[in-house]
Amino acid sequence: MAAPVVAEGAAVLAFRSVMQRVRQAAERSGTRPESIRVVAVSKTKPVSMIGQLYDAGHRCFGENYVQEIVDKAPQLPQDIEWHFIGHLQSNKVKTLLGGVPNLAMFQGVDNQKVANHLDRMVSTLGRNPLKVLVQVNTSGEESKSGIDPSNCVDLAKHVKLSCPNLVFSGLMTIGRPDYTSTPENFKALSNCRTEVCKVLEMPEEQCELSMGMSSDFELAIEMGSTNVRIGSTIFGPRDYSKKQE
């Protein structure tokens, strides 16, 4: 039996419910709710559905596939803050940065090569410096992108000190294959932040933690996340037949 599809109007109701849960999780952890960024991850979803959330007041959206974000962004208002999430092939850097002038953050620097490509292309295009998060593989799974926690300090240092057109803004991790994470995953990322901030002499509150998705965002907030990436809980099950690389 096929999974039920959330009607477009229902996405706004689901979004409001998510925001209430975010507020409650923040309050439980003694965090200001407004300090938590909610990225509505709209991969495989139509522009019309994104537009409904935009009309409801939301401005922060995320995508995982270059072609999809490049297709969608020009059809939507320019004050949207787009986040690209996950691994990016170096040969797609120009397409992404050239096609999405309002890309606000790249969540997924996982090696020096892609950092260098991003840095050079931001300069070539004359863009403002791009905020980036270093992606850390906290679960140790070979199938996952991300730097090993033991190497996250070196990569963060490279971005901050050797990439003048990038703004090192924090760390991110993607959960397990079933999109859940254990407290250990979140604790590992928090430990990485402590080490990175010590070496870079950077206040921890200036170093974001992007962790938590639809199934575990409340736990992530309670463990220090400042950025949660929520897709199916807002938009309904994804139709991967519409996936675009």
Side-chain angles (χ1 to χ4, degrees):
M1 182 175 177
V5 176
V6 175
E8 291 188 6
V12 174
L13 296 176
F15 170 72
R16 290 178 179 144
S17 174
V18 163
M19 294 305 291
Q20 178 63 22
R21 291 168 63 188
V22 167
R23 282 191 292 272
Q24 291 169 346
E27 288 164 1
R28 286 195 297 271
S29 63
T31 303
R32 291 182 300 110
E34 59 271 21
S35 69
I36 310 296
R37 179 193 295 112
V38 175
V39 182
V41 183
S42 46
K43 65 180 177 182
T44 80
K45 298 301 177 180
V47 165
S48 58
M49 194 177 280
I50 300 170
Q52 289 200 358
L53 256 64
Y54 178 92
D55 291 342
H58 197 55
R59 294 292 181 271
C60 189
F61 295 88
E63 293 285 347
N64 298 85
Y65 306 120
V66 172
Q67 193 56 53
E68 191 168 359
I69 192 173
V70 167
D71 288 346
K72 288 176 177 178
Q75 302 178 59
L76 289 156
Q78 289 299 299
D79 63 336
I80 283 179
E81 298 178 4
W82 287 106
H83 287 230
F84 187 83
I85 300 164
H87 178 71
L88 177 66
Q89 294 176 326
S90 295
N91 62 358
K92 294 186 177 180
V93 166
K94 183 177 181 179
T95 302
L96 175 65
L97 295 185
V100 190
N102 50 331
L103 184 71
M105 180 177 279
F106 174 62
Q107 299 198 32
V109 171
D110 55 7
N111 60 72
Q112 289 191 10
K113 181 181 178 182
V114 75
N116 293 339
H117 274 272
L118 285 165
D119 182 61
R120 285 195 296 269
M121 191 54 60
V122 169
S123 176
T124 298
L125 295 173
R127 291 180 53 118
N128 289 330
L130 177 67
K131 293 181 178 180
V132 300
L133 303 182
V134 166
Q135 183 175 349
V136 183
N137 183 344
T138 58
S139 65
E141 296 167 84
E142 292 184 9
S143 62
K144 280 282 181 290
S145 297
I147 197 84
D148 187 89
S150 64
N151 296 321
C152 72
V153 170
D154 288 341
L155 183 54
K157 191 174 180 180
H158 176 79
V159 171
K160 189 167 179 65
L161 302 181
S162 302
C163 299
N165 300 292
L166 303 182
V167 180
F168 171 72
S169 300
L171 307 172
M172 67 89 77
T173 189
I174 293 177
R176 295 179 179 277
D178 59 356
Y179 294 99
T180 63
S181 290
T182 65
E184 289 74 24
N185 291 126
F186 297 148
K187 183 63 177 172
L189 196 68
S190 182
N191 290 343
C192 286
R193 176 171 69 174
T194 300
E195 294 175 21
V196 165
C197 289
K198 182 178 180 181
V199 171
L200 297 181
E201 298 181 339
M202 181 180 184
E204 286 198 17
E205 59 268 21
Q206 292 181 14
C207 184
E208 292 197 39
L209 287 184
S210 177
M211 56 188 193
M213 296 187 284
S214 283
S215 61
D216 55 18
F217 68 89
E218 289 154 305
L219 174 62
I221 291 169
E222 290 172 21
M223 296 193 67
S225 179
T226 61
N227 185 107
V228 292
R229 311 176 305 267
I230 303 175
S232 57
T233 297
I234 294 172
F235 292 108
R238 296 190 176 98
D239 180 0
Y240 282 100
S241 69
K242 297 179 181 178
K243 169 183 168 181
Q244 300 183 57
E245 293 294 349

